[in-house]
Amino acid sequence: MPDILVPETADLARMVTAAGIFAVPTGEVRLSPDELDPAQIIAGSPQVSSAELWSSPDGSQSRGIWEITPGTVTDVERDEIFVVLSGRATVEVEGGAAVELVPGSVCLLAEGAKTTWIVHETLRKVYHCLS
């Protein structure tokens, strides 16, 4: 099955408003490459990509699909909930817990948490973020 292209965010918002619904098979959505700050990379050559499906008019919230390939990176988190669709990773919080992420995991991230992502298998998630 070919990759599915998601409409631009503004067009998608109009489609959802008109139809009241939008659905895609998340594993087949074509993602666009994102920049990863080289200073965040601890090990390997991880690459990140995403597709934003929605953002609030004021930019304070967003929803979409995000993916990272194997490697180890650091991050400072936003207030986020996500569900792992595929892949496997360990996320360690500085001064806190470590969690194992597998398909079906639901994860909440706290604004400002300093994390280390150890990605064992390419991880794809669907997310909702507040900023």
Side-chain angles (χ1 to χ4, degrees):
M1 185 173 272
D3 284 346
I4 294 173
L5 296 174
V6 175
E8 294 295 324
T9 304
D11 295 332
L12 183 56
R14 283 191 291 276
M15 291 168 62
V16 171
T17 299
I21 191 168
F22 178 80
V24 293
T26 56
E28 298 169 17
V29 172
R30 184 183 303 167
L31 306 179
S32 298
D34 292 327
E35 291 289 323
L36 185 59
D37 181 348
Q40 291 179 264
I41 300 172
I42 295 174
S45 300
Q47 302 291 311
V48 294
S49 55
S50 66
E52 186 174 83
L53 302 177
W54 175 86
S55 63
S56 61
D58 67 358
S60 66
Q61 299 180 60
S62 64
R63 299 175 186 156
I65 301 167
W66 182 85
E67 184 173 273
I68 185 169
T69 63
T72 303
V73 299
T74 61
D75 201 7
V76 177
E77 303 298 341
R78 298 179 357 182
D79 182 358
E80 178 179 347
I81 183 171
F82 66 84
V83 178
V84 175
L85 303 170
S86 60
R88 192 171 61 83
T90 304
V91 178
E92 300 171 347
V93 177
E94 184 179 279
V99 296
E100 297 298 320
L101 299 176
V102 297
S105 295
V106 176
C107 186
L108 298 170
L109 291 169
E111 177 80 26
K114 295 178 181 177
T115 58
T116 300
W117 290 67
I118 305 159
V119 181
H120 311 290
E121 299 169 9
T122 298
L123 185 128
R124 184 176 278 217
K125 68 181 185 178
V126 60
Y127 68 85
H128 178 93
C129 285
L130 301 173
S131 56

